[in-house]
C-alpha cells in the first residue's frame, strides 16, 4: 500500500512539474502522449466558451431584471395562438411511379392538384434557389413546404412531420442504418460550375441522388439517429443555384427569417410544446446582432463591445422575465440551420423551452453570401 502511494505521489509531482522537464526530455524520449491531454483541455475550453445561452444562464440573468415592468404591445400583423388541438394525419399512399412523396405530393405534380389537396398556403417566402417555399400546415401540424417551377409543377418538398411515404419504406423515425441500407451510398459532393462543394459529413444528415432527385435525410442525434426531416430537390432546381449559397437579397433575408420561425414552431408542436408568436421588436434586436457579426466577421453571443444578448434586449426596451438566444452561421438555408440547432442540446433546449412565448429571427449576410442567423426568444 505504501509502495502504491509513493508511485501515485511521484506521478502527481511529475505532472505538475511537466513544464520544467517536458522539453529537455523530448530530446531523448517520445512525449507526444502529452499532446492528446493538451488537445482535450483546449477542446473543452472552446466548447465551453461557445455554448449557447441555456436554461440556467437565462434564469440567473433574468432575475436581475425583475424590477423592469413587463409590458408588450403586439403589432397588428402578429398573431396570438390558442392551445393546439390535435389534427388528423392524412392517409399516405406509397408512391408507385416515383420514389418519394410528402403528404401524397411528389416532384412533378401540378400546382392545381397541390392546392386542391392542401388549400391556400399559410405563407409564401423566397428560398436560396430563387424559387418560393409555399408553406402549409394546420396549427403547425401536418407541416410541409412546397416549391414550384415556372410551369407550376412541384420541384421541391420539405417536411419535419410524419408525412413521408416512400417505395423504400423510409419514413419519419426510421433508423439511419435502415435509410443507408435502403438508399445506398450518399452523395459526398455537388458540382457547381468548376467547383465541387463537399457536403456535410458530420453524420447528422445524408444526401442521396435518386433518379435525378436530391433527397436529403436529416437525423435526430438525440432520438437515436432516427429520421427527423426530409428535403427533396429536383436536379433541375439544384442546377439553378450556381453556388453553395443563394444570391443575397432582401426577399431571401425575410424568407430565411420566417422559414426559421415556422420550422421552430413545427418542431415545438411536434414535441407537444405550444408555438411561439412572432415579435417584430425583438426581431430587430436579432437582426442587428446578425448584421454586426456579418460586418465585423465574428460569431459569438457577446458582441465586440462586450454586450450580451440581455444587454442588447435591454437597450432595445425589450422587457422580459426569461429570455434566450440561438445563433447559427454558414448553413445554406434555414432548413439546415434549424436541423443543426435541434441537434445541439443547448440550442434545442431554447427551441423547445415551454416558458418562451415570443420569438424574433434576424438574418444577415456577409460578402460571401453566407448567412448569420440569430433567434431571440423571450417571455414578458
Amino acid at each position: 500500500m505504501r509502495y502504491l502511494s509513493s508511485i501515485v505521489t511521484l506521478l502527481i509531482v511529475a505532472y505538475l512539474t511537466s513544464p520544467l522537464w517536458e522539453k529537455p526530455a523530448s530530446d531523448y524520449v517520445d512525449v507526444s502522449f502529452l499532446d492528446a491531454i493538451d488537445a482535450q483541455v483546449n477542446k473543452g475550453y472552446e466548447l465551453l466558451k461557445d455554448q449557447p445561452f441555456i436554461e440556467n444562464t437565462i434564469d440567473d440573468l433574468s432575475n436581475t431584471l425583475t424590477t423592469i415592468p413587463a409590458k408588450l404591445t403586439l403589432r397588428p400583423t402578429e398573431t396570438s395562438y390558442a392551445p393546439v388541438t390535435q389534427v388528423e394525419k392524412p392517409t399516405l399512399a406509397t408512391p408507385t411511379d416515383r420514389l418519394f412523396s410528402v403528404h401524397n405530393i411528389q416532384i412533378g405534380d401540378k400546382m392545381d392538384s397541390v392546392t386542391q389537396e392542401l388549400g391556400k398556403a399559410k405563407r409564401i417566402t423566397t428560398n436560396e434557389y430563387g424559387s418560393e417555399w409555399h408553406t402549409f400546415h394546420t396549427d403547425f401540424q401536418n407541416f410541409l413546404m412546397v416549391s414550384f417551377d415556372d410551369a407550376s409543377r412541384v420541384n421541391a418538398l420539405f417536411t419535419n412531420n410524419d408525412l413521408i411515404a416512400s417505395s423504400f419504406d423510409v419514413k419519419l423515425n426510421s433508423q439511419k442504418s435502415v435509410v443507408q441500407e435502403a438508399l445506398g451510398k450518399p452523395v459526398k459532393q455537388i458540382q457547381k460550375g468548376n467547383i465541387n462543394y463537399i457536403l456535410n459529413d458530420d453524420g447528422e444528415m445524408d444526401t442521396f441522388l435518386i433518379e435525378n432527385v436530391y433527397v436529403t435525410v436529416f437525423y435526430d442525434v438525440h432520438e437515436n439517429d432516427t429520421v427527423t426531416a426530409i428535403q427533396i430537390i429536383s436536379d433541375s432546381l439544384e442546377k439553378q443555384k450556381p453556388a453553395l449559397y443563394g444570391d443575397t437579397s432582401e426577399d431571401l433575408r425575410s424568407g430565411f427569417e420566417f422559414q426559421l420561425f415556422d420550422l421552430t414552431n413545427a418542431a415545438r408542436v411536434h414535441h407537444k410544446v405550444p408555438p411561439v408568436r412572432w415579435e417584430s421588436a425583438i426581431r430587430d434586436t436579432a437582426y442587428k446582432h446578425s448584421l454586426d457579426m456579418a460586418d465585423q466577421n465574428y460569431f459569438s453571443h457577446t458582441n465586440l463591445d462586450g454586450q450580451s444578448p440581455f444587454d442588447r434586449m435591454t437597450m432595445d426596451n425589450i422587457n422580459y422575465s426569461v429570455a434566450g438566444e440561438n445563433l447559427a452561421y454558414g448553413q445554406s438555408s434555414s432548413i439546415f440551420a434549424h436541423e443543426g440547432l435541434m441537434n445541439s442540446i443547448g440550442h434545442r433546449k431554447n427551441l423547445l423551452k415551454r416558458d418562451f412565448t415570443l420569438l424574433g429571427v434576424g438574418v444577415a449576410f456577409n460578402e460571401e453570401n453566407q448567412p448569420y442567423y440569430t433567434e431571440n426568444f423571450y417571455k414578458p
Side-chain angles (χ1 to χ4, degrees):
M1 187 70 180
R2 181 178 300 172
Y3 176 76
L4 178 61
S5 176
S6 299
I7 293 295
V8 171
T9 301
L10 285 172
L11 288 173
I12 292 173
V13 171
Y15 175 76
L16 293 175
T17 60
S18 62
L20 300 177
W21 59 261
E22 179 180 338
K23 188 177 186 305
S26 65
D27 295 333
Y28 305 99
V29 297
D30 181 9
V31 294
S32 61
F33 68 93
L34 291 169
D35 295 338
I37 297 174
D38 292 339
Q40 287 302 315
V41 172
N42 291 334
K43 181 179 179 182
Y45 172 74
E46 292 299 320
L47 289 173
L48 283 172
K49 76 173 185 178
D50 288 334
Q51 283 297 304
F53 287 84
I54 58 176
E55 184 168 336
N56 290 336
T57 305
I58 294 164
D59 290 341
D60 290 345
L61 288 177
S62 65
N63 285 339
T64 66
L65 300 171
T66 53
T67 56
I68 298 176
K71 182 180 179 181
L72 175 69
T73 302
L74 290 178
R75 314 279 171 156
T77 57
E78 291 156 4
T79 306
S80 179
Y81 298 118
V84 177
T85 302
Q86 195 69 31
V87 300
E88 186 178 355
K89 172 191 163 184
T91 301
L92 302 178
T94 301
T96 53
D97 56 333
R98 303 182 191 103
L99 302 178
F100 280 91
S101 70
V102 175
H103 205 304
N104 297 320
I105 297 166
Q106 303 171 74
I107 297 294
D109 283 355
K110 294 180 179 180
M111 181 185 288
D112 289 346
S113 65
V114 173
T115 54
Q116 184 176 355
E117 173 77 15
L118 300 177
K120 184 179 179 181
K122 299 286 187 181
R123 198 191 305 277
I124 300 175
T125 52
T126 299
N127 62 34
E128 70 277 16
Y129 291 95
S131 64
E132 295 176 324
W133 282 124
H134 296 239
T135 302
F136 301 90
H137 61 83
T138 302
D139 294 332
F140 294 104
Q141 298 172 77
N142 294 334
F143 181 91
L144 74 157
M145 301 196 294
V146 186
S147 169
F148 301 95
D149 62 19
D150 292 339
S152 297
R153 290 186 176 272
V154 175
N155 61 4
L157 293 159
F158 171 85
T159 188
N160 55 6
N161 276 208
D162 190 11
L163 302 173
I164 305 163
S166 166
S167 57
F168 291 107
D169 200 29
V170 170
K171 53 190 176 183
L172 200 75
N173 299 323
S174 291
Q175 289 286 337
K176 182 198 290 189
S177 58
V178 172
V179 174
Q180 293 175 337
E181 183 177 353
L183 301 185
K185 190 176 181 180
V187 175
K188 296 299 183 183
Q189 58 188 24
I190 294 181
Q191 186 168 351
K192 303 278 188 181
N194 296 323
I195 301 175
N196 281 324
Y197 290 94
I198 306 300
L199 299 182
N200 188 304
D201 193 28
D202 61 6
E204 296 182 6
M205 68 193 75
D206 283 321
T207 298
F208 305 89
L209 181 57
I210 305 171
E211 296 190 6
N212 297 319
V213 174
Y214 287 95
V215 179
T216 299
V217 182
F218 299 91
Y219 307 110
D220 191 331
V221 301
H222 302 292
E223 297 289 343
N224 301 315
D225 282 333
T226 52
V227 175
T228 188
I230 189 168
Q231 176 182 266
I232 304 168
I233 304 289
S234 69
D235 179 61
S236 59
L237 180 60
E238 187 62 54
K239 288 177 179 176
Q240 245 179 246
K241 190 169 63 142
L244 179 63
Y245 299 104
D247 293 332
T248 299
S249 69
E250 282 299 300
D251 286 341
L252 183 60
R253 176 196 56 74
S254 176
F256 276 179
E257 290 176 351
F258 283 111
Q259 288 156 25
L260 196 51
F261 173 80
D262 288 340
L263 289 162
T264 296
N265 271 338
R268 286 173 70 91
V269 171
H270 177 72
H271 289 274
K272 304 190 185 320
V273 178
V276 289
R277 301 190 302 276
W278 178 266
E279 216 299 295
S280 297
I282 205 164
R283 176 266 167 194
D284 293 341
T285 304
Y287 172 69
K288 286 186 290 186
H289 186 54
S290 287
L291 184 62
D292 188 52
M293 290 190 293
D295 287 347
Q296 302 297 325
N297 191 30
Y298 73 95
F299 182 64
S300 175
H301 292 284
T302 303
N303 65 22
L304 299 184
D305 293 325
Q307 296 164 338
S308 73
F310 311 102
D311 295 328
R312 296 191 291 272
M313 292 176 198
T314 300
M315 289 174 61
D316 287 343
N317 298 314
I318 305 295
N319 302 321
Y320 61 87
S321 60
V322 60
E325 179 175 271
N326 281 351
L327 301 179
Y329 156 68
Q331 292 83 359
S332 59
S333 75
S334 288
I335 289 173
F336 285 86
H338 171 75
E339 296 303 326
L341 290 169
M342 283 294 289
N343 275 334
S344 169
I345 190 62
H347 297 87
R348 185 187 184 99
K349 286 182 178 179
N350 276 348
L351 284 163
L352 302 181
K353 190 175 179 67
R354 190 173 292 270
D355 290 348
F356 293 143
T357 58
L358 300 169
L359 169 62
V361 181
V363 175
F365 304 88
N366 65 14
E367 292 181 352
E368 285 76 40
N369 290 337
Q370 296 171 322
Y372 286 75
Y373 307 84
T374 300
E375 294 180 310
N376 283 153
F377 301 84
Y378 79 107
K379 177 182 180 180

